[in-house]
Amino acid sequence: MAKPIYVLNGPNLNLLGSREPEVYGKETLDDVRARCERRAAALGFSIDFRQSNHEGELVAWIQEARGGAAGLIVNAGAFTHTSIAMLDALLACSVPSVEVHLSNIFTREPFRHHSYISKAVKGVICGFGAQSYELAIEALAARLATAKPS
Ligand code: DQA
């Protein structure tokens, strides 16, 4: 069976919909999951969608993706700006990955302008709300379609 695209969500993203809706929108994480499932299915892929508030669990899932995933989409939440552990896990993971953010982190507080994990991903999509995830799925699907079978 074809490997899924992992969609990993970091801390506080379980609160989407009620958390600062003026910044992150009114859609819940379940709504985002449904969007991802629809978009991926239309492109011939399946997704494995997860959320954790724990850095170590996110690191373990990135390690799992080394063998289990076709690609990886990561919204690391606040760990984006702090986590060398997630950077190292992504550097050790050869499957193509995309960093996403709902908000445009570059128009926000200066501490959000730096991402530790960007160095390890193919690209970054931010600022389009829940649509950021769909754009990431499209980018990954296009890359995976042209990749040579291993
Ligand atoms: C976020 C941006 C981060 O700065 C923030 O800590 C989040 C969400 C986003 O999706 O816009 O939790 O990753």
Side-chain angles (χ1 to χ4, degrees):
M1 209 167 89
K3 291 177 183 173
I5 293 172
Y6 280 16
V7 184
L8 304 184
N9 294 279
N12 299 306
L13 291 165
N14 53 312
L15 301 180
L16 269 192
S18 61
R19 170 198 187 203
E20 298 181 87
E22 67 288 356
V23 178
Y24 298 116
K26 290 187 179 148
E27 287 182 61
T28 66
L29 196 59
D30 272 345
D31 295 332
V32 176
R33 178 203 299 268
R35 271 184 185 250
C36 288
E37 281 170 355
R38 272 198 305 272
R39 198 75 207 107
L43 295 165
F45 289 89
S46 66
I47 62 160
D48 188 334
F49 192 96
R50 307 179 190 185
Q51 188 274 333
S52 177
N53 292 325
H54 303 281
E55 186 177 14
E57 189 161 36
L58 291 158
V59 167
W61 287 343
I62 295 168
Q63 291 183 6
E64 183 189 310
R66 285 157 50 108
L72 194 52
I73 293 170
V74 185
N75 184 349
F79 292 146
T80 304
H81 319 297
T82 63
S83 182
I84 297 170
M86 286 188 72
L87 167 65
D88 284 348
L90 285 164
L91 286 172
C93 182
S94 59
V95 305
S97 56
V98 178
E99 174 183 348
V100 301
H101 301 283
L102 296 144
S103 63
N104 181 348
I105 56 174
F106 301 104
T107 62
R108 301 185 62 197
E109 304 96 319
F111 65 82
R112 295 186 203 275
H113 297 180
H114 177 257
S115 164
Y116 275 100
I117 67 169
S118 296
K119 184 183 185 330
V121 298
K122 296 287 177 209
V124 182
I125 298 171
C126 73
F128 295 97
Q131 198 194 2
S132 293
Y133 286 76
E134 293 179 275
L135 295 170
I137 287 171
E138 282 175 32
L140 263 186
R143 175 166 279 269
L144 292 168
T146 56
K148 291 199 182 93
S150 52

